Amino acid sequence: MSGREDRVLVAAARKAWPEYNAHGLYFCQPNRSFKPSNYLAFYTDGEIKPAVPAITSTIESIELTEDALEGATQVSPAQRSQLEDGIATLRDQNADRYGSEQKVLFLDVESGFTLEQPVQNDKTASESDRTVAFV
């Protein structure tokens, strides 16, 4: 990481982790607010995954359809190309996100960093052995 104060957003990623691996994108509810962050980490399967890509840009709200993308004026050519691929795959997979309004974070693994190993969640509830979310 650079010498400036960097922040990592950690997102619950049951769906998001495979979507990121397929398209380099993170989807969530439109206009969702996050603290300013430079990087996005993925929490799924009881661990934070080692790949921590940089957040390169954001679209606050867009309908995930080909027609909406074609008419979107706030989308750069590079974003459009990446979204075209993602939207086509969501359509072909009959995914729940297809046709919905979403916030989109564009991610770049090359500008991010990699943890030495996954961060396992070993925090358990005091009355049971069930793991609980990181705080």
Side-chain angles (χ1 to χ4, degrees):
M1 288 198 259
S2 70
R4 69 182 196 280
E5 187 171 342
D6 292 320
R7 289 195 184 179
V8 177
L9 169 64
V10 179
R14 182 176 51 84
K15 284 186 191 177
W17 178 243
E19 290 170 344
Y20 161 69
N21 282 300
H23 310 293
L25 302 169
Y26 173 75
F27 303 106
C28 63
Q29 71 236 33
N31 302 303
R32 183 174 182 185
S33 66
F34 298 117
K35 288 191 178 201
S37 303
N38 305 84
Y39 304 96
L40 181 69
F42 295 90
Y43 177 78
T44 188
D45 303 324
E47 65 185 22
I48 296 173
K49 299 298 184 184
V52 184
I55 301 169
T56 58
S57 62
T58 303
I59 296 174
E60 288 298 322
S61 181
I62 188 167
E63 181 183 311
L64 297 180
T65 63
E66 293 83 355
D67 290 342
L69 180 58
E70 186 164 323
T73 58
Q74 80 276 28
V75 179
S76 74
Q79 290 172 332
R80 186 174 304 279
S81 175
Q82 198 170 358
L83 272 172
E84 283 173 347
D85 293 341
I87 289 171
T89 301
L90 293 172
R91 181 198 63 231
D92 293 348
Q93 294 174 344
N94 200 27
D96 293 343
R97 290 196 202 280
Y98 181 74
S100 68
E101 288 281 328
Q102 297 284 301
K103 179 174 187 163
V104 181
L105 275 63
F106 294 82
L107 307 171
D108 180 28
V109 72
E110 301 288 322
S111 301
F113 61 94
T114 303
L115 303 172
E116 289 182 22
Q117 61 191 29
V119 178
Q120 295 292 320
N121 180 4
D122 59 1
K123 183 176 180 169
T124 57
S126 57
E127 65 279 352
S128 72
D129 288 334
R130 187 168 181 254
T131 57
V132 295
F134 287 114
V135 182

